[in-house]
Amino acid sequence: MFFDLLPETGLACAHRGARSLAPENTLMAAQKAVDCGARCWETDAHMTADGRIAIFHDETLERTTDIAGHPEFRDRRDIHHFTLAELRTLDAGSWFLAADPYGTVASGEVPESDHPAIRAQVIPTLREALDFTVRHNLPMNLEIKDQTGHAGHDTIVRAVLDLVHEARAAHLLLLSSFNHDYLVQAKRLAPGIPTAALQEEQHPENLVDYLRSLGAAAYHPDHRITTPELVRELSEAGLFVNLWTVNDMDRARMFIRAGAKAIITDFPQRM
Ligand code: G3P
Ligand code: MG
């Protein structure tokens, strides 16, 4: 299972793929994670209007696609209101060259020879992402985005697990979510796949007991609310701690020394 494939502590997990080297949550970003020696990749899943699972971070499409250039979609922006076929008509790469979110295009760290491939990126399906992870034997932390208020709310966990089993990827998977009910559902449907509770802003009370009540193997807190003491306490209680999004080497070292299993980072090439 996922954690057995990652024996040492302090490894780099590429956040949304190596998202400072290629457009986030694309197969190119996943390939860059492999190329720079990341030991795992984190990626995000939403359910589409036709019940398919797409790899994408935001709820809306403006930031990381060319939706603004598609007049046929002018009434819609929310990913849950698009079919997978419609999503696949969007360019999910060119925004990265224009926005240059990490300055890596201007600096040349993203070489010009990569630009054509960047422009050719589309929104991957979960099945494509799982096939990539199996092909490269690259453990995947799949974050199931909260679908509250959308049709996928009641079905996404089962739909994700069906695809994981079809792709024979269960041994490479760590499922996480900010919606902790999804973790309980996942544990019931697939007890062998480890889960991780995502948290930002505030830790739940009686944290160790709480995580155990979810059946979670790991805790994924925002690093800004987390201290090395908490990492140590949870590790000693037998829980894995993976922190996001740590882009500062000194902070990464501090958490690793305290026993953090993985550092989820936008810069796996520097960690
Ligand atoms: O899974 C860690 C991190 O990705 C959670 O936040 O918004 O980047 O998906 P977000
Ligand atoms: Mg995420």
Side-chain angles (χ1 to χ4, degrees):
M1 75 80 165
F2 182 91
F3 288 109
D4 301 331
L5 299 166
L6 303 172
E8 70 273 48
T9 61
L11 50 102
C13 183
H15 186 223
R16 308 181 202 171
R19 71 188 283 237
S20 57
L21 296 175
E24 66 181 50
N25 282 333
T26 62
L27 293 181
M28 184 176 186
Q31 183 62 54
K32 291 288 179 191
V34 171
D35 295 346
C36 70
R39 297 292 300 278
C40 136
W41 67 305
E42 188 267 359
T43 192
D44 307 289
H46 281 283
M47 186 175 269
T48 65
D50 54 340
R52 309 288 296 279
I53 310 292
I55 293 297
F56 202 77
H57 179 270
D58 296 0
E59 292 226 352
T60 59
L61 295 159
E62 294 98 321
R63 185 177 63 88
T64 60
T65 76
D66 68 341
I67 186 89
H70 285 257
E72 71 276 25
F73 299 141
R74 71 180 162 278
D75 300 334
R76 286 180 285 162
R77 286 292 180 267
D78 188 319
I79 186 168
H80 309 101
H81 298 159
F82 284 74
T83 65
L84 182 66
E86 287 173 333
L87 292 175
R88 296 284 273 191
T89 66
L90 301 175
D91 166 352
S94 296
W95 70 273
F96 181 79
L97 296 175
D100 195 8
Y102 297 94
T104 48
V105 177
S107 73
E109 192 178 357
V110 173
E112 274 200 35
S113 55
D114 277 358
H115 292 195
I118 287 172
R119 286 193 201 94
Q121 294 305 302
V122 294
I123 296 173
T125 63
L126 174 57
R127 181 60 198 256
E128 287 172 333
L130 291 167
D131 287 345
F132 179 94
T133 228
V134 169
R135 201 160 56 244
H136 294 274
N137 202 31
L138 182 69
M140 174 200 270
N141 169 206
L142 182 64
E143 180 188 344
I144 304 180
K145 285 295 181 193
D146 191 358
Q147 311 291 298
T148 300
H150 299 286
H153 182 59
D154 295 325
T155 51
I156 191 165
V157 174
R158 185 178 285 277
V160 163
L161 289 171
D162 285 349
L163 283 164
V164 168
H165 293 306
E166 275 169 42
R168 297 180 186 280
H171 62 294
L172 292 163
L173 255 279
L174 172 65
L175 288 176
S176 62
S177 189
F178 286 105
N179 185 322
H180 299 171
D181 287 343
Y182 293 174
L183 305 178
V184 175
Q185 283 180 47
K187 237 20 246 177
R188 201 166 53 231
L189 293 167
I193 298 180
T195 57
L198 275 160
Q199 198 70 36
E200 63 184 342
E201 289 174 15
Q202 222 181 336
H203 302 293
E205 282 180 28
N206 304 318
L207 186 51
V208 171
D209 289 344
Y210 177 71
L211 293 169
R212 291 206 172 116
S213 76
L214 298 176
Y219 187 49
H220 288 194
D222 185 331
H223 77 97
R224 291 168 298 188
I225 60 165
T226 308
T227 61
E229 290 69 36
L230 182 67
V231 174
R232 213 166 279 124
E233 183 194 325
L234 294 174
S235 304
E236 282 167 12
L239 292 151
F240 297 108
V241 186
N242 306 317
L243 297 123
W244 53 277
T245 304
V246 184
N247 291 334
D248 177 86
M249 277 300 271
D250 290 334
R251 266 188 94 67
R253 265 189 222 102
M254 175 182 84
F255 289 123
I256 289 162
R257 272 199 292 268
K261 183 78 169 171
I263 299 298
I264 301 173
T265 178
D266 297 327
F267 294 95
Q269 70 272 34
R270 296 182 197 164
M271 288 279 165

